Amino acid sequence: MEGTDKISKLPEPILDQILSFLAIKDAAKTSTLSKVWNSVWTNLSCLDFGDNYLHKSKNIVDQILSNRLNQKISIKRFKANLPIYLSKAVDDWIKVLVTCNIKELFLDIGVYTYNKSPEAIFAAKSLNVLSLRGFKLELPCDSIKFYFLRELYLEDSSLDEQFLQALCAICSDLEVLSLKRFSGLISLQVAGTLPKLRTVKLQTCPPKFRKVDIVAPNVENLYISSFGLDLHLIEITACKSLTRLKLTAVAVNDKWLKNLLPNLPNLEVLYLEHCLSLKIVKISSCRVKVLKVVACYHLIAVDLDDAPNLLRFSYDIHHGKKGLVGYFDPSPIFKLKASRLLEVEIKLIPDPEALDTRWYSKLTESLGNFNNSTAITLRCDYDQVIVIPKDMRENLLPPLYGTKRMQIKTMDRTNYSIVDVVDSLLWIFPQLDTLSVDKGQSLQSLIKFTYRDAADDEDEKPCCASLAWKCWRHELKEVKLQNFTRTELEKLTYYFLENSYN
């Protein structure tokens, strides 16, 4: 109906922004809608050619770029994946893009191809964002002219210290430096030439990469991961603004961590993953809010006594046969005096063949470290991991009687019924307000508990007669069950009716 097309009446810059979210082949289809849309397409400033599109349509790319060059249209973004490197064509495209004042350039030519990057690219004075994959980067004959470069992403690329030093000397506006699966670089030193640098990512550093030295007062995010677990020398100094630090598979030790943390007064998020040289993790900071310690298999102690504002903690519990990589016994000793708002997430990773009394004893002992946390999430691959045998419960104390919210995430729940799982969880968490069961589906199953006020009730029941607190059975007033199957609802309803004392 005429007069109902309000989108076409929007200003052309807004229509250009709308088309910028589409791949070029989809954006081109809008040119047939009306003269307005044809004009928007003709002047489109963001060109995303999608995966494998250039291999089939090189001539179309030539034509689109030629039109914009002839009409003197600035190009904001150019993105292309090339399954086969078209050296001459890419060189020509880069020259056009530079002339059209390209702002954001994304080129992907595959893994470990290491084709030499076109020299024309280093003349892009207007470039703000550069992302390259599969290139070999060398110093050009002329100088690098990335005067306004803010973000640099290099993946599966080859480069050396000389190139990177020259780049850092020119790119004084650089805010993000990301290197992923690179080669040729032996060390990285970031010093005072990058005053605006905010984020540094060194992902999957190669075995020959030996040293990271970061001296950057304004860096807020630092991520370092190693390919071979052998990156030893990491120096982080004068990083007073650092708020997020993530270390994966690097050989940092207790002394290094102890000396580092006092020099990071604003650190709020710390991830330590696969750091096999760590034996003691001690956090003394009133600023740290998020801590993740996973797959640090040689840990013997975790001291969080002096982290009063810790809000989220992630950890994993392993168990298995002696000598099996990644499994250890006993559990680390915990010291925890965290905020009452602490939320804990724990991944349970026992050897499937070692689900014996030692595992369940270890599980309850480890979970007991986090009693009084406001919420706990348990992750496991199959339900046997968290269904503690009833005969064992007679000789163990429920470890988490102070926790009110609990979530279980399990992939395989075929060995036990929903009642068995819930019964075990309500022994582990005997005073829950909310129990959430995530089965990997879009909707989570939820159990909400409401209790009656019975402060004066002195009635003792055999289930917890010797304890200072009463379990859910005593004061249960109402149970709400959400997002369970019909069969599960029937079984759970019967379970709660039979096991409540009210």
Side-chain angles (χ1 to χ4, degrees):
M1 183 181 296
E2 189 175 348
T4 60
D5 183 8
K6 296 182 179 180
I7 294 180
S8 297
K9 296 180 180 180
L10 292 172
E12 192 160 312
I14 295 180
L15 298 178
D16 180 84
Q17 179 71 11
I18 292 173
L19 290 193
S20 71
F21 295 104
L22 301 178
I24 200 77
K25 59 183 178 181
D26 296 321
K29 296 175 183 177
T30 64
S31 63
T32 61
L33 297 177
S34 67
K35 292 182 179 179
V36 171
W37 284 105
N38 182 64
S39 175
V40 174
W41 157 249
T42 303
N43 295 279
L44 185 63
S45 62
C46 297
L47 308 176
D48 181 355
F49 288 92
D51 297 342
N52 301 327
Y53 187 63
L54 292 185
H55 179 48
K56 303 175 183 178
S57 310
K58 172 187 170 298
N59 293 335
I60 294 178
V61 180
D62 292 339
Q63 180 182 347
I64 291 173
L65 291 180
S66 177
N67 290 341
R68 278 150 181 77
L69 178 64
N70 294 333
Q71 297 179 47
K72 298 182 180 180
I73 298 173
S74 294
I75 298 177
K76 179 181 179 181
R77 182 170 67 245
F78 182 90
K79 184 176 182 180
N81 295 346
L82 295 91
I84 298 177
Y85 186 49
L86 310 171
S87 178
K88 177 63 169 61
V90 172
D91 286 351
D92 293 338
W93 296 340
I94 294 296
K95 291 175 182 177
V96 173
L97 293 170
V98 170
T99 304
C100 292
N101 300 313
I102 182 68
K103 296 289 192 301
E104 301 176 7
L105 177 59
F106 301 81
L107 281 180
D108 184 337
I109 58 171
V111 181
Y112 303 130
T113 49
Y114 294 159
N115 290 279
K116 185 177 179 181
S117 57
E119 290 221 355
I121 200 172
F122 298 107
K125 297 179 182 180
S126 302
L127 201 60
N128 299 142
V129 179
L130 176 61
S131 177
L132 300 176
R133 182 169 182 246
F135 284 94
K136 181 177 182 181
L137 294 105
E138 298 176 345
L139 282 174
C141 298
D142 200 356
S143 60
I144 299 175
K145 298 178 181 178
F146 294 160
Y147 304 129
F148 301 104
L149 190 66
R150 295 197 306 267
E151 300 179 18
L152 176 63
Y153 304 89
L154 302 178
E155 182 176 351
D156 296 318
S157 295
S158 174
L159 66 160
D160 57 23
E161 283 87 348
Q162 186 181 11
F163 171 82
L164 199 58
Q165 288 174 4
L167 195 69
C168 292
I170 290 294
C171 303
S172 59
D173 285 341
L174 195 66
E175 298 177 7
V176 178
L177 174 61
S178 176
L179 308 179
K180 184 176 182 180
R181 291 191 302 269
F182 53 90
S183 67
L185 198 63
I186 304 300
S187 65
L188 173 68
Q189 291 180 294
V190 177
T193 58
L194 300 173
K196 297 182 180 180
L197 192 62
R198 297 288 184 271
T199 299
V200 177
K201 293 183 179 182
L202 305 175
Q203 298 173 276
T204 320
C205 299
K208 293 183 179 180
F209 189 70
R210 293 300 178 190
K211 180 179 180 180
V212 180
D213 188 359
I214 307 289
V215 182
N218 294 314
V219 164
E220 298 173 357
N221 308 290
L222 177 58
Y223 309 91
I224 303 175
S225 67
S226 172
F227 178 78
L229 305 172
D230 57 355
L231 178 55
H232 287 78
L233 192 53
I234 300 177
E235 298 179 12
I236 304 171
T237 55
C239 295
K240 302 296 183 182
S241 300
L242 193 67
T243 59
R244 299 177 65 91
L245 174 62
K246 181 177 180 179
L247 302 175
T248 303
V250 295
V252 295
N253 56 31
D254 304 346
K255 183 179 179 181
W256 180 89
L257 185 62
K258 181 180 179 180
N259 293 335
L260 172 71
L261 294 180
N263 296 316
L264 303 177
N266 293 300
L267 188 66
E268 296 183 357
V269 179
L270 174 61
Y271 285 10
L272 301 170
E273 302 179 7
H274 287 89
C275 295
L276 303 186
S277 298
L278 283 177
K279 294 183 177 181
I280 298 176
V281 172
K282 182 175 182 178
I283 305 297
S284 297
S285 170
C286 62
R287 293 297 298 268
V288 173
K289 297 178 181 178
V290 179
L291 175 64
K292 185 175 184 179
V293 182
V294 297
C296 298
Y297 301 127
H298 298 146
L299 274 183
I300 59 175
V302 179
D303 188 347
L304 307 177
D305 241 7
D306 196 15
N309 295 311
L310 189 65
L311 298 178
R312 292 206 304 273
F313 177 62
S314 299
Y315 180 63
D316 50 4
I317 303 175
H318 295 255
H319 179 73
K321 298 176 181 178
K322 290 184 177 180
L324 192 62
V325 175
Y327 295 86
F328 57 87
D329 198 19
S331 297
I333 298 172
F334 269 85
K335 290 184 179 181
L336 179 62
K337 189 189 295 181
S339 164
R340 288 282 298 179
L341 300 176
L342 177 66
E343 297 184 6
V344 178
E345 180 170 320
I346 303 174
K347 173 70 173 177
L348 308 177
I349 316 175
D351 178 359
E353 298 181 2
L355 293 176
D356 51 18
T357 56
R358 289 177 300 174
W359 160 248
Y360 296 113
S361 296
K362 182 176 184 177
L363 174 62
T364 54
E365 178 186 356
S366 299
L367 292 179
N369 292 305
F370 308 105
N371 191 32
N372 295 319
S373 301
T374 186
I376 290 182
T377 298
L378 299 181
R379 293 177 176 269
C380 55
D381 290 334
Y382 36 90
D383 53 15
Q384 300 106 306
V385 174
I386 42 90
V387 177
I388 300 175
K390 290 186 177 181
D391 59 338
M392 284 197 64
R393 301 179 203 175
E394 297 177 0
N395 301 312
L396 297 170
L397 289 177
L400 294 167
Y401 55 85
T403 299
K404 301 300 182 183
R405 289 191 290 118
M406 185 270 169
Q407 182 180 38
I408 179 69
K409 297 184 177 182
T410 179
M411 295 296 102
D412 181 2
R413 215 191 66 204
T414 58
N415 297 282
Y416 288 93
S417 72
I418 183 63
V419 169
D420 293 326
V421 173
V422 169
D423 183 62
S424 181
L425 292 174
L426 287 177
W427 179 84
I428 298 172
F429 303 82
Q431 293 184 317
L432 281 178
D433 290 335
T434 304
L435 170 57
S436 175
V437 181
D438 187 338
K439 297 173 285 188
Q441 301 171 354
S442 57
L443 290 177
Q444 294 184 354
S445 301
L446 196 66
I447 305 177
K448 292 185 178 181
F449 301 86
T450 303
Y451 302 96
R452 64 183 177 87
D453 185 10
D456 298 327
D457 187 0
E458 300 296 334
D459 183 30
E460 289 189 354
K461 301 298 181 182
C463 60
C464 48
S466 61
L467 302 177
W469 39 265
K470 293 182 175 68
C471 69
W472 62 273
R473 292 176 170 85
H474 291 269
E475 320 300 346
L476 187 63
K477 179 180 179 181
E478 183 182 15
V479 178
K480 291 184 178 180
L481 305 173
Q482 300 177 10
N483 300 324
F484 288 96
T485 66
R486 182 176 179 178
T487 301
E488 289 174 336
L489 283 172
E490 292 175 352
K491 290 182 178 180
L492 286 171
T493 300
Y494 181 78
Y495 168 78
F496 285 115
L497 288 173
E498 286 294 305
N499 287 274
S500 173
Y501 294 140
N502 297 305

